[in-house]
Amino acid sequence: MKIYVPLDSAAKALGADAVANAIVEQAAARGLDVQVIRNGSRGMVWLEPLVEVGDDRQAFGPVSVADVPALLDGKLKGHGKVADIAFFAKQTRLTFARCGVIDPLDMDDYQAHGGLVGLRRAVGMTGTEIVTEVTESGLRGRGGAGFPTGIKWNTVAGAQASQKYIVCNADEGDSGTFADRMIMEGDPFTLIEGMVIAGIAVGATKGYVYLRSEYPDAIKIMRQAVEIARNSGVIGGSVLGSNRAFDMEIRVGAGAYVCGEETSLLNSLEGKRGVVRAKPPLPALEGFLGKPTVVNNVISLATIPVIMEKGAQNYQNFGLGRSRGTIPIQIAGNVAHGGLFEAAFGMPLGELIDDIAGGTATGRPVKAVQVGGPLGAYFPRAKFDTPFGYEDFDGQGGLIGHAGIVVFDDSTDMLGMARFAMEFCAVESCGKCTPCRIGAVRGVETIDRIGRGDAAAVEILTDLCETMRDGSLCALGGFTPFPVMSALTHFPDDFATNKEAAE
Amino acid sequence: MSASQATIETLARILAAHDGLEGPLLPILHAVQAELGFIPEDVQPIIAAHLNISKAEVHGVVTFYHDFRAAPAGRHVVKICRAEACQAMGANGLADATLAKLGVAWHGTTANGAVTIEPVYCLGLCACGPAAMVDDRVVGRVDTAKMDELLAEAGA
């Protein structure tokens, strides 16, 4: 009998390792023929550790060590099949189709579930044909900026250079996001496959994954996966026996949020301070070591295999407006049913929060949600009918970013959250441009003035945010005004109450 | 102050192991910190000479990144997530209580040298916060009781 216990960080953080050990020990003591497989996570974090039993994947969770005897006796109450759990059944899993299903480091298991089909197709195509396919899929950068992936690839493909690079941005620093981590821990080969396809498409033979140091488990799994891929001939001098070459390395960041910005990431990868570069030149033309470089987010690259496997049209058929395909939405913070929910673009924000995720964990009313990480706007309930799409969120003064949603209940002090946004910007600013470096520090001080009841400071804060938005070099300083101003605009009472209290 | 003979030999080994890498400085610094526990001031000129860059450039990189230490940490490092998703689940209260209990500020080390407490901005455990990490081990849904357990295990 097969028993699946996730090795995903979130599952481990909730005790999965101890549960896996207990299953192995107690099954051996009973003389049961049990094979424990460490899979990725299905993304239903409130059920972790989510243990699955048998080929029909009966789900149990959260399972504690104390539950293991009942589990092995067949007496533990479960949730039925994983695929039938409402949170899971409502999803459209394309990028995450294998995540949680397979053993992440088993190349045979990977191939048995559609792995390498896309790459096999790609090695028989010209670079131009691959770029066209990706462009037609409508895939846009999942890191946050939403730039069309095919167009970026086309620029790199057209550049003439002795060496080109594929750089995967795995510096997933946004609070409320964990999709990159989940796919790297749960289906690392799909990222590798996506990078190889990108390499073939643009003529790059070397790739780097810039992976944040805060993800030690993902680093270990990705390093093993690269080794296995090399030994299996997926990467190396001859990709799948073809005349294409591609090799790659995992590089570890050093705890700087700003290195998620592509130009500071490139500086960091080169061994420099992670300061932002002015654009132009675009990284697509002068990127890593001055050579043409594709810099794509983990999810963008990990989605390439399924596009190549099922075709651009299949992917393009999902979505809303100019937001095509699916998006792995991460629902986090104070939430009853938190986790990763992959769906076609277009689902209203409120449906995700209230229906899919079941509201807050504390059971109190939802006060606000922050979408898109620490640089994303706070949305009040009044905006919960906004459909999940790039343009739709932009139109509401927000951004979807890397598609993380952080839920807050009504005990949250929004002035405090606005202050934190400025404080975070001050801690993480690379220091290159003044609006960000100085503005964030002044921002904290100005919000403290408002907190002390100085009404005149509101106008100063508004003006400061305008300066940061228009004058910063990158999104760190440029977007910090989103959470600050949205908190001020939508939750004026939190700023007013403090005022009255001070008077 | 110049590096000891043992440090020089360690450095030589680390530098040789990273020969041929494109952009080797961060991997070298990670390796130095993994072996020595921090980046001693006196190894910076050795690295600079080897990579043919200035001492100022090495110093600039070491001081830019939160991960690199100028002095050794405690025997265990406990990182408490301060990011928004964990705040929504009470991370601020947890952090305040932990710092107060140990009588240290952020980045401080307990008097017995057992534990250094650091802030971290997101461990990707945003649906099971508040999150913490003890050395490389992740822990979710940390309340003060759980934190007390972790600190006791670490010998704080």
Side-chain angles (χ1 to χ4, degrees), chain A residues 130-402:
Chain A
I130 301 172
V131 171
T132 304
E133 185 95 23
V134 171
T135 307
E136 285 176 354
S137 76
L139 178 67
R140 293 166 67 178
R142 297 287 187 248
F147 189 81
T149 306
I151 294 184
K152 188 184 275 184
W153 286 19
N154 193 47
T155 307
V156 179
Q160 298 299 319
S162 54
Q163 177 72 53
K164 300 180 191 177
Y165 295 98
I166 307 297
V167 171
C168 171
N169 183 344
D171 196 34
E172 184 179 51
D174 288 354
S175 176
T177 66
F178 44 85
D180 296 355
R181 181 186 62 64
M182 254 184 72
I183 202 102
M184 289 188 288
E185 293 175 357
D187 191 13
F189 294 135
T190 199
L191 172 58
I192 294 171
E193 184 179 347
M195 288 181 71
V196 182
I197 295 171
I200 294 171
V202 305
T205 53
K206 179 88 202 197
Y208 292 95
V209 178
Y210 185 89
L211 216 172
R212 61 201 300 263
S213 61
E214 292 87 343
Y215 285 177
D217 294 296
I219 292 166
K220 276 183 219 130
I221 294 172
M222 280 306 301
R223 286 202 161 134
Q224 290 176 54
V226 167
E227 204 54 43
I228 293 166
R230 196 175 287 130
N231 294 334
S232 316
V234 174
I235 58 174
S238 165
V239 171
L240 294 178
S242 70
N243 61 353
R244 321 278 190 127
F246 188 83
D247 212 327
M248 59 186 284
E249 262 177 58
I250 308 300
R251 287 290 177 90
V252 179
Y257 174 76
V258 74
C259 289
E261 194 282 333
E262 61 176 357
T263 61
S264 63
L265 184 154
L266 291 169
N267 275 337
S268 183
L269 201 55
E270 289 179 8
K272 299 173 182 161
R273 294 162 66 89
V275 290
V276 173
R277 298 177 183 172
K279 288 191 276 195
L282 292 172
L285 297 173
E286 292 178 40
F288 183 57
L289 300 174
K291 301 292 187 189
T293 305
V294 168
V295 186
N296 276 156
N297 171 256
V298 172
I299 299 300
S300 311
L301 289 163
T303 301
I304 298 297
V306 73
I307 291 172
M308 297 307 294
E309 178 193 345
K310 299 191 169 168
Q313 192 56 47
N314 178 278
Y315 194 77
Q316 217 270 341
N317 284 342
F318 297 97
L320 168 79
R322 288 175 51 217
S323 305
R324 307 313 310 172
T326 59
I327 177 87
I329 298 161
Q330 303 123 82
I331 315 174
N334 190 337
V335 61
H337 295 168
L340 182 133
F341 188 89
E342 182 176 355
F345 282 100
M347 190 175 270
L349 180 59
E351 192 180 334
L352 286 161
I353 310 296
D354 297 328
D355 302 343
I356 304 292
T360 62
T362 46
R364 299 171 67 106
V366 175
K367 178 170 187 172
V369 298
Q370 186 179 29
V371 184
L375 307 176
Y378 286 102
F379 274 26
R381 285 206 79 94
K383 287 180 181 278
F384 272 21
D385 55 356
T386 309
F388 214 89
Y390 293 103
E391 279 71 29
D392 309 271
F393 266 69
D394 188 46
Q396 291 296 322
L399 51 107
I400 64 171
H402 190 47

